[in-house]
């Protein structure tokens, strides 16, 4: 750093060819079509602002415990496996500790924002927090979905068997097939009513979705209860609500890029430059 003379707008030089910030911004024009990324940039600023306002810090002891937990979760117990994992990402041990510290501070902020409202949120939204585990196949048209449903309804026929038989018979070309666990709140109201009214093993469909027609076998329905994972989930939901409200109130100034597009996507518009 500072070993060679460079103009303020220069970013790097490769084999004598200099890349300046104006050129880089041209490469990054596509970012202005990614609303999620723009929102994340604003959210990051709002989170840092809240962390500073609340004076939230992570102690070295907290970070060490979190790092140990991270290494256990990711199978990085030995120094050799940890170092190999870091090399794959171009990280150092300090980089890992910095990232974990950031995560610890963010978790503290979420808990502080949620405060004592978790129980009340659960009471109000308990039904929407029920979960169902589904075997689902999605096809492009309703008639094809009906054919899968007919094959699936006889007792003892699995979703995989029904789909394989329908494909072999040339009846369907599935766009996707999977087993997934969803919460009632994740589904459209009509979809949710059909799924959560079914008994385990029941077949639901065809149900229209955003990208086709679904046939579903309901494997399991679990009613929500306020255990530790649910408390963590609700803490995150309350934090998300807070972040949406803060974003709506924020004044955002974009200093580069498409100044007309960006403010409309995130926060109240400030002066664009």
């Amino acid at each position: 750093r500072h070993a060679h003379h460079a103009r303020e707008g220069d970013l790097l030089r490769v084999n004598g060819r200099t890349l300046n910030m104006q050129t880089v911004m041209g490469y990054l024009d596509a970012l202005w079509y990614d609303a999620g990324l723009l929102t994340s940039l604003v959210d990051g600023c709002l989170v840092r602002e809240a962390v500073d306002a609340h004076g939230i810090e992570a102690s070295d002891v907290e970070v060490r415990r979190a790092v140990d937990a991270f290494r256990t979760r990711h199978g990085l117990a030995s120094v050799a496996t940890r170092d190999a994992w870091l090399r794959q990402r171009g990280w150092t041990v300090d980089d890992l500790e910095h990232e974990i510290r950031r995560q610890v501070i963010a978790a503290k902020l979420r808990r502080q924002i949620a405060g004592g409202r978790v129980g009340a949120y659960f009471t109000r939204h308990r039904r929407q927090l029920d979960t169902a585990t589904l075997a689902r196949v999605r096809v492009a048209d309703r008639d094809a979905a009906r054919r899968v449903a007919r094959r699936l309804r006889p007792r003892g026929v699995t979703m995989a068997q029904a789909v394989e038989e329908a494909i072999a018979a040339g009846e369907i070309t599935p766009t996707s097939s999977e087993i997934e666990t969803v919460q009632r709140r994740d589904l459209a109201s009509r979809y949710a009513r059909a799924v959560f009214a079914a008994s385990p093993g029941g077949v639901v469909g065809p149900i229209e979705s955003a990208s086709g027609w679904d046939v579903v076998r309901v494997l399991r329905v679990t009613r929500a209860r306020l255990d530790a994972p649910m408390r963590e989930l609700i803490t995150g939901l309350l934090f998300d609500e807070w972040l949406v409200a803060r974003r709506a109130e924020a004044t955002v100034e974009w200093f580069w890029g498409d100044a007309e597009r960006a403010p409309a996507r995130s926060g109240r518009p400030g002066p664009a430059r």
Side-chain angles (χ1 to χ4, degrees), residues 35 38-43 46 243-254 259-271:
L38 299 183
T39 299
S40 295
L41 294 173
V42 174
D43 288 351
L46 294 173
L243 200 52
V244 168
R246 291 288 296 125
R247 193 187 310 133
E249 297 170 354
T251 299
V252 180
E253 301 176 59
W254 295 96
E260 293 184 358
R261 290 173 58 84
R265 290 178 179 243
S266 45
R268 294 185 289 115

Side-chain angles (χ1 to χ4, degrees), residues 172-237:
I172 67 166
T173 301
T175 58
S176 65
S177 180
E178 60 188 337
I179 294 177
E180 59 181 345
T181 298
V182 297
Q183 288 188 322
R184 187 190 295 264
R185 66 190 183 89
D186 298 328
L187 302 175
S189 57
R190 181 172 174 271
Y191 204 131
R193 284 196 301 271
V195 165
F196 284 90
S199 302
V203 177
V204 177
I207 308 175
E208 189 172 11
S209 68
S211 56
W213 292 85
D214 291 2
V215 177
V216 172
R217 167 158 278 162
V218 179
L219 303 179
R220 182 179 182 183
V221 173
T222 305
R223 303 304 173 188
R225 57 193 183 93
L226 194 56
D227 53 12
M230 181 60 69
R231 287 184 176 276
E232 189 67 22
L233 172 67
I234 294 174
T235 296
L237 294 173

Side-chain angles (χ1 to χ4, degrees), residues 71 75-84:
R71 291 178 62 180
L76 307 176
S78 71
V79 172
T81 55
R82 181 205 65 185
D83 289 349

Side-chain angles (χ1 to χ4, degrees), residues 70 74 76 81-92 95-96:
F70 178 88
H74 292 271
L76 307 176
T81 55
R82 181 205 65 185
D83 289 349
W85 186 91
L86 292 174
R87 281 195 301 272
Q88 288 177 350
R89 290 155 179 81
W91 284 17
T92 67
D95 292 331
L96 176 60

Side-chain angles (χ1 to χ4, degrees), residues 90-209:
W91 284 17
T92 67
V93 173
D94 288 342
D95 292 331
L96 176 60
E97 291 185 356
H98 175 79
E99 174 60 20
I100 297 299
R101 184 180 298 274
R102 188 189 65 79
Q103 293 178 14
V104 170
I105 290 172
K108 283 186 166 185
L109 176 63
R110 287 194 298 272
R111 289 193 294 270
Q112 186 157 335
I113 295 299
R117 297 180 292 149
V118 171
Y121 185 99
F122 179 78
T123 300
R124 290 196 309 273
H125 301 281
R126 182 171 187 166
R127 188 165 177 267
Q128 293 301 311
L129 297 169
D130 291 343
T131 60
T133 301
L134 316 171
R136 178 187 61 76
V137 62
R138 177 167 295 164
V139 295
D141 65 89
R142 189 173 188 175
D143 289 340
R146 283 174 174 157
R147 289 191 285 271
V148 175
R150 282 198 297 269
R151 288 183 177 275
L152 189 58
R153 286 197 166 93
R155 182 178 294 276
V157 177
T158 67
M159 176 66 79
Q161 289 170 333
V163 171
E164 288 175 7
E165 290 173 2
I167 292 173
E171 295 175 352
I172 67 166
T173 301
T175 58
S176 65
S177 180
E178 60 188 337
I179 294 177
E180 59 181 345
T181 298
V182 297
Q183 288 188 322
R184 187 190 295 264
R185 66 190 183 89
D186 298 328
L187 302 175
S189 57
R190 181 172 174 271
Y191 204 131
R193 284 196 301 271
V195 165
F196 284 90
S199 302
V203 177
V204 177
I207 308 175
E208 189 172 11
S209 68

